[in-house]
Amino acid sequence: MRWGFENLNLTEQRLEQVGMKSFTHTVKVTCEDHEGNGPMLIQQWDGKKWNVVSDWIAPIREVVRPKIEAEAVEEAKKLGYTMRDCAKEK
């Protein structure tokens, strides 16, 4: 499952092929970047169609990412996990 997620690459062409043109920005997820490379918006299904219910929301990576990284290191220590090195997995 992780491999599929970390190799997700929804280009404009692919989004159109799967009937999702204009549904979202392009999305590329990698081992290094699980955030998908850009802004997001919230859509809601009303039983017939998707409705956009927010503006585009830009990530605040410079604030949020350092906190996520620090907490991940602490949690890994508590659980005895070894941190991944994405460069070694290529």
Side-chain angles (χ1 to χ4, degrees), residues 28-42:
K28 182 172 177 70
V29 181
T30 64
C31 177
E32 296 88 352
D33 179 7
H34 281 194
E35 295 173 29
N37 73 322
M40 60 165 269
L41 60 73
I42 299 171

Side-chain angles (χ1 to χ4, degrees), residues 7 11 16 20 22 24 26 28-29 31 34-35 40 44 47-48 53-54 56 63 65-66 70 76 80-81:
N7 289 278
T11 62
E16 189 167 353
M20 295 178 68
S22 302
T24 187
T26 59
K28 182 172 177 70
V29 181
C31 177
H34 281 194
E35 295 173 29
M40 60 165 269
Q44 189 173 49
K48 296 179 183 171
V53 296
S54 77
W56 284 102
V63 173
R65 194 70 202 172
Y81 291 163

